[in-house]
């Protein structure tokens, strides 16, 4: 297994390069860019894309030396401005170099985890990502753990009691929860429990209180859970339906196989058959979907939740960066997302072997 893990780690390098190449090429065809944005600002046109940035003055932009990513260097919005000034802007943002040179420079920097600096924030991209990470980790990790802790036992029980009243009523409840969008449930939670109309039990913003650093461990943990209760509840309510049904169907499929009938014929107890024989085979398909589910919740599934509960995480950061053409942040977050996704796939393979030791990845081609 050690050699397989080593090979997969080596394979991450060309995979990440491929992800970044595709992302870089797509960005070359996106209309607009930081130079066009500054030109429009100098010409008196509105360029603010999101209210959270509050607009950036030309002086703020010009004060920031940037990495070499982004658009082509032909800007049609430059009529009436000195061509030398336009050339200086292109040099400032790194667009005076050919696209291939900008890409290889970016790739070399990324291998050293030098993700450049944001165009519109006076901060490095890596530092910015790490600053937003606690929010995304809190939402993604706890939501995923709770969803799996609910879905797997519930799916197993539904498979064992297939067709009973318990199965029917839980299926109805699951699909009702699945049909409610998480942001709608979040609004409902705010109205009911966060001072919207009825009760004022939970806070509306942040993952901790302002005086969190001054609390002892027990108080800090309670404060953290107090802040995260509503956002995580909103994400969980519509997240466990598909996993529950997948677990149920996987167990039903395995329960009908010959080896289960043989185990029962030998006189084994039903729990022994279920957990010693069926469980590890049925769980493989559930484990296979874990990386995709985690990455979805970790990055994309939390965007609206972050907005509604005023949580400044990676989902909101990526969205604002795309809207505002902050290309170093866009490519830096994509690089980070890709790296985490590849690591999660490697963890999935390791868990495969832990669940079913008969699986040998070293005997297969990587």
């Amino acid at each position: 297994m050690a050699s397989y893990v080593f090979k997969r780690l080596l394979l991450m390098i060309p995979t990440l390069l491929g992800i970044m190449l595709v992302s870089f090429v797509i960005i070359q065809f996106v209309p607009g860019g930081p130079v066009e944005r500054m030109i429009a600002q100098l010409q008196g046109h509105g360029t603010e894309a999101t209210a959270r940035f509050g607009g950036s003055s030309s002086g703020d932009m010009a004060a920031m030396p940037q990495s070499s990513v982004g658009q082509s260097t032909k800007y049609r919005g430059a009529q009436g401005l000195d061509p030398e000034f336009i050339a200086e802007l292109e040099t400032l943002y790194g667009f005076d170099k050919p696209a291939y040179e900008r890409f290889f420079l970016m790739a070399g920097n990324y291998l050293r985890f030098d993700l450049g600096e944001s165009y519109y924030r006076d901060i490095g991209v890596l530092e910015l990502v790490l600053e937003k990470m606690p929010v995304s980790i809190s939402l993604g990790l706890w939501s995923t753990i709770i969803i799996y802790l609910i879905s797997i036992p519930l799916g197993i029980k539904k498979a064992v009691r297939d067709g009973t009243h318990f199965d029917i009523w839980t299926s109805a409840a699951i699909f009702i929860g699945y049909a409610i969008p998480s942001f709608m449930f979040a609004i409902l939670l705010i109205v009911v429990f966060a001072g919207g109309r009825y009760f004022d039990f939970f806070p509306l913003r942040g993952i901790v209180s302002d005086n969190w650093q001054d609390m002892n461990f027990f108080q800090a943990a309670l404060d953290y859970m107090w802040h995260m209760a509503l956002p995580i509840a909103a994400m969980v309510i519509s997240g466990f339906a598909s996993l529950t049904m997948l677990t149920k169907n996987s167990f039903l499929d395995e329960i009908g196989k010959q080896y289960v009938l043989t185990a029962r014929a030998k006189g084994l107890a039903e729990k022994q058959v279920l957990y010693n024989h069926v469980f590890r085979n049925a769980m493989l398909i559930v484990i296979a979907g874990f990386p995709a589910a985690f990455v979805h919740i970790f990055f994309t599934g939390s965007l609206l939740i972050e907005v509604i509960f005023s949580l400044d995480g990676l989902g909101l950061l990526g969205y604002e960066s795309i809207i505002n053409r902050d290309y170093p942040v866009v490519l830096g977050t994509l690089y980070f997302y890709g790296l985490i996704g590849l690591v999660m796939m490697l963890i999935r393979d390791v868990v495969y072997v832990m669940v079913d030791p008969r699986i040998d990845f070293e005997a297969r081609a990587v």
Side-chain angles (χ1 to χ4, degrees):
M1 190 64 185
S3 63
Y4 172 77
V5 171
F6 180 72
K7 292 177 183 177
R8 286 295 298 270
L9 291 174
L10 291 179
L11 189 61
M12 287 183 185
I13 297 175
T15 305
L16 285 172
L17 286 175
I19 293 172
M20 300 315 301
L21 177 60
V22 172
S23 303
F24 184 85
V25 170
I26 291 174
I27 281 180
Q28 306 310 302
F29 297 98
V30 176
V35 176
E36 284 187 337
R37 181 185 175 94
M38 180 180 287
I39 290 170
Q41 200 169 44
L42 292 173
Q43 293 177 335
H45 303 296
T47 59
E48 185 176 342
T50 59
R52 291 175 63 89
F53 276 127
S56 299
S57 66
S58 58
D60 292 336
M61 294 181 190
M64 301 176 194
Q66 305 301 333
S67 59
S68 52
V69 293
Q71 292 279 98
S72 65
T73 59
K74 295 181 180 179
Y75 296 97
R76 291 177 294 178
Q79 288 88 349
L81 294 179
D82 187 354
E84 293 184 1
F85 176 71
I86 302 301
E88 290 178 3
L89 290 181
E90 294 173 357
T91 302
L92 175 66
Y93 290 103
F95 300 146
D96 57 322
K97 303 179 181 67
Y100 70 89
E101 186 176 340
R102 300 201 305 272
F103 174 75
F104 285 114
L105 178 62
M106 179 192 72
N109 291 336
Y110 278 22
L111 289 177
R112 302 191 303 270
F113 276 89
D114 179 7
L115 306 184
E117 291 188 2
S118 168
Y119 285 154
Y120 308 117
R121 305 169 188 247
D122 191 14
I123 188 174
V125 175
L126 181 59
E127 185 179 351
L128 185 60
V129 169
L130 294 178
E131 178 185 317
K132 311 298 182 185
M133 183 64 69
V135 173
S136 295
I137 288 179
S138 297
L139 291 174
L141 182 62
W142 293 119
S143 297
T144 304
I145 290 175
I146 293 173
I147 287 171
Y148 269 74
L149 288 177
I150 293 174
S151 299
I152 292 176
L154 182 58
I156 294 173
K157 192 166 185 178
K158 284 174 65 62
V160 173
R161 303 180 63 177
D162 183 43
T164 63
H165 290 295
F166 172 83
D167 181 40
I168 295 172
W169 285 109
T170 53
S171 294
I174 286 171
F175 287 114
I176 290 173
Y178 184 72
I180 302 174
S182 59
F183 70 90
M184 291 293 294
F185 192 70
I187 294 173
L188 176 63
L189 291 176
I190 290 174
V191 171
V192 177
F193 297 110
R197 186 170 182 179
Y198 298 100
F199 306 103
D200 191 9
F201 295 152
F202 297 95
L204 271 177
R205 62 179 61 248
I207 60 173
V208 292
S209 299
D210 294 336
N211 61 336
W212 189 74
Q213 297 290 345
D214 301 327
M215 300 178 183
N216 59 43
F217 177 80
F218 182 71
Q219 291 173 331
L222 286 179
D223 182 75
Y224 172 77
M225 290 188 291
W226 180 51
H227 280 77
M228 297 306 301
L230 295 188
I232 291 176
M235 296 182 69
V236 167
I237 191 65
S238 60
F240 64 88
S242 57
L243 182 60
T244 300
M245 299 310 296
L246 176 63
T247 304
K248 175 191 174 182
N249 293 332
S250 299
F251 271 79
L252 285 177
D253 183 60
E254 292 296 325
I255 287 173
K257 291 185 177 180
Q258 183 62 43
Y259 74 91
V260 177
L261 299 177
T262 303
R264 286 172 174 167
K266 290 181 178 180
L268 295 179
E270 189 65 23
K271 286 187 177 180
Q272 288 181 299
V273 174
L274 191 62
Y275 292 102
N276 293 349
H277 297 275
V278 176
F279 182 82
R280 65 181 182 182
N281 293 325
M283 286 303 297
L284 291 178
I285 191 172
V286 177
I287 295 172
F290 176 77
F294 178 76
V295 172
H296 171 74
I297 294 174
F298 194 46
F299 299 117
T300 59
S302 62
L303 173 58
L304 291 176
I305 300 299
E306 289 178 13
V307 173
I308 293 172
F309 289 98
S310 299
L311 301 173
D312 196 6
L314 287 177
L316 188 58
L317 173 66
Y319 172 75
E320 289 180 342
S321 302
I322 293 172
I323 295 299
N324 289 279
R325 305 296 191 266
D326 196 350
Y327 296 131
V329 178
V330 173
L331 290 170
T333 51
L334 286 174
Y335 176 79
F336 208 78
Y337 296 169
L339 180 61
I340 290 181
L342 292 172
V343 171
M344 293 305 303
M345 292 179 66
L346 178 59
I347 293 175
R348 176 198 65 185
D349 291 344
V350 174
V351 176
Y352 263 156
V353 177
M354 293 174 61
V355 173
D356 191 349
R358 297 172 299 175
I359 296 176
D360 184 11
F361 287 108
E362 295 183 2
R364 302 170 58 186
V366 178

